[in-house]
Amino acid sequence: MEERLNKVRSAAADKEWLQFQLDNADADLRDAIREALEAGIRAEDLVGAAELTLEQIRRIGRSE
């Protein structure tokens, strides 16, 4: 029983760590998109690289 509890605890910790990494990656992507837009790159040109829709990129560009 203890082994199974440890496995659950480990999986929960892994999930928490991966969520933290994902949140940081999302923030980095938003920052990079804002910087690219501020540098004059068109939102349409970021769609493929960012793997987001044009509306998502525009929404990121409008947010701070």
Side-chain angles (χ1 to χ4, degrees), residues 16-29:
E16 184 177 341
W17 173 244
L18 290 171
Q19 186 61 54
F20 174 78
Q21 289 181 308
L22 180 59
D23 291 344
N24 283 334
D26 283 340
D28 290 346
L29 178 57

Side-chain angles (χ1 to χ4, degrees), residues 1-2 5-6 12 20-21 23 25-26 31 34-38 40-41 44 47 49-51 56 59 62:
M1 180 151 154
E2 187 64 29
L5 286 173
N6 287 336
F20 174 78
Q21 289 181 308
D23 291 344
D26 283 340
D31 290 344
R34 284 189 205 100
E35 290 172 9
L37 292 170
E38 289 171 5
I41 297 175
E44 292 83 354
V47 171
E51 298 182 3
Q56 289 172 312
R59 194 174 22 232
R62 290 188 301 264

